Amino acid sequence: MSTITTYELLDGKIASRAVQERIIREVAEVTAIRGRVPHLAAVLIGADGASRTYVDAKVKACEKVGFRSTLIERSAEITESELLDLVRTLNNDPDLDGFIVQLPLPKHIDEEKVTLAIDPRKDVDGFHPENLGRMVLGLPGYLPATPAGILVLLKHFGIKTAGKHCVVVGRSNIVGTPMSILMSRNSEPGNCTVTITHSRSKDLASITRQADILIPAIGKPEFISADMVKPGAVVVDVGIHRIEDASKKRGYRLVGDVKFDEVAPKCSWISPVPGGVGPMTITSLLLNTLKAAQI
Ligand code: NDP
């Protein structure tokens, strides 16, 4: 079996910059028609470090493309009914095009109840069952931000997907399951033969080794090793983890679900962590918000 030693990066920073330039142009058009800029709100509950980093990045991205953004912070002691009241207020705010409630939420709050309470027309994360159902049926709606961002990433770098075998590792409602559906749809990117795997899958490595396109969304740092990857595969690493690292100024470094250094030389294309799927998720959120403002 041949081993590939040169690979190309599915660079999310480059792809997201290109898409954001397009968004900036469209913001000008939308604003001229409606007399106000697209407006996204982000609800952050508690002071969890990673969630704050993600929300700050989303707010910053809004500013960069000329959206208005509002950060709504509440303490981790907020009750479920108080949060549901806040969601209803945001649903009814005519100045707001879309909003997100950053997950995870504190344990005493039922995430499903909160997701269900969000008006599907403002659900720019694309987590509401109505939007997920629309995605399955190929109807217009908001696609879940991370899987949609991966489609944009593949498209930007001209990755041909039709007829390829795509293996998705992980079946969460926000990443793995929608990703598998989107890759099997009759569209480009799409038209893959898809295998979805999870923690009960037997002999995972023998399945991942069949993947022309491998999308790990497992939530386990550096889980995918070189022996699990077919030479020449396209690997899109969704995982993102903070690993303690005293040599870094901030005390940690970021890694994905893939052992990048040993897997990359086997790939034709691979996304890095950081700078791969993360920026694409944010860009998808911007695209969904723009769409909400255009309706
Ligand atoms: P979840 O924890 O919700 O899901 C993980 C999935 O992986 C589950 O379906 C689980 O299976 C499966 N899994 C766990 N262990 C194994 C194993 N040993 N073999 C095969 N499958 C396994 O995670 P998410 O989908 O929310 O997120 C996945 C990763 O992606 C995380 O690192 C998260 O931080 C990251 N992420 C990154 C984003 C970005 O923008 N870059 C956005 C969203 C997430 P089972 O169902 O059987 O438990």
Side-chain angles (χ1 to χ4, degrees):
M1 237 190 284
S2 66
T3 304
I4 293 190
T5 50
T6 55
Y7 60 88
E8 296 198 68
L9 271 191
L10 291 167
D11 189 324
K13 287 194 208 148
I14 290 176
S16 61
R17 209 174 297 134
V19 178
Q20 289 184 18
E21 276 163 19
R22 179 161 61 78
I23 294 175
I24 289 170
R25 289 193 294 275
E26 291 193 33
V27 167
E29 284 170 29
V30 166
T31 309
I33 295 165
R34 299 194 326 160
R36 69 171 177 84
V37 298
H39 182 193
L40 173 79
V43 178
L44 177 63
I45 306 297
D48 170 74
S51 289
R52 177 170 294 280
T53 308
Y54 298 143
V55 167
D56 285 349
K58 289 167 187 174
V59 168
K60 217 165 117 193
C62 282
E63 286 162 10
K64 220 166 113 194
V65 297
F67 289 2
R68 181 177 159 205
S69 63
T70 303
L71 175 58
I72 301 166
E73 290 194 63
R74 295 287 184 272
S75 93
E77 277 75 52
I78 189 171
T79 65
E80 187 178 275
S81 79
E82 284 167 341
L83 180 54
L84 290 170
D85 280 346
L86 173 60
V87 166
R88 278 181 218 110
T89 304
L90 298 176
N91 283 342
N92 294 322
D93 182 345
D95 282 337
L96 200 57
D97 296 299
F99 66 97
I100 60 162
V101 178
Q102 183 67 40
L103 303 179
L105 293 172
K107 296 228 173 332
H108 64 277
I109 297 178
D110 183 343
E111 285 184 359
E112 202 175 284
K113 259 193 201 169
V114 175
T115 302
L116 281 168
I118 296 173
D119 183 336
R121 290 167 300 181
K122 291 193 174 182
D123 168 42
V124 287
D125 253 339
F127 294 166
H128 192 282
E130 182 172 323
N131 283 314
L132 289 172
R134 286 178 165 275
M135 176 195 72
V136 173
L137 298 171
L139 296 171
Y142 301 114
L143 295 178
T146 299
I150 291 171
L151 296 186
V152 175
L153 185 67
L154 294 172
K155 193 166 184 180
H156 180 87
F157 288 101
I159 307 296
K160 297 280 173 255
T161 59
K164 301 282 170 64
H165 184 192
C166 174
V167 176
V168 179
V169 190
R171 58 177 166 189
S172 72
N173 291 338
I174 61 169
V175 188
T177 295
M179 192 74 245
S180 68
I181 293 166
L182 290 169
M183 292 304 276
S184 69
R185 287 202 312 187
N186 184 4
S187 62
E188 187 64 43
N191 281 316
C192 285
T193 303
V194 176
T195 302
I196 183 161
T197 60
H198 42 77
S199 66
R200 305 287 187 91
S201 297
K202 292 217 169 87
D203 195 4
L204 182 68
S206 74
I207 304 169
T208 56
R209 271 197 297 270
Q210 294 171 36
D212 302 310
I213 300 171
L214 178 63
I215 308 183
I218 312 163
K220 293 206 155 91
E222 301 185 317
F223 182 87
I224 300 288
S225 48
D227 61 313
M228 298 172 81
V229 178
K230 172 168 151 177
V234 174
V235 175
V236 183
D237 188 354
V238 182
I240 184 151
H241 313 274
R242 288 179 176 198
I243 301 288
E244 270 185 43
D245 187 340
S247 73
K248 303 276 177 210
K249 210 168 134 193
R250 55 190 178 183
Y252 66 88
R253 67 194 157 87
L254 295 175
V255 299
D257 284 349
V258 174
K259 282 191 176 104
F260 186 90
D261 289 345
E262 66 171 61
V263 170
K266 271 188 108 172
C267 299
S268 54
W269 291 86
I270 183 167
S271 66
V273 177
V277 173
M280 300 315 297
T281 298
I282 293 177
T283 298
S284 279
L285 182 66
L286 298 177
L287 283 170
N288 279 345
T289 306
L290 180 67
K291 196 192 253 186
Q294 285 167 330
I295 290 170

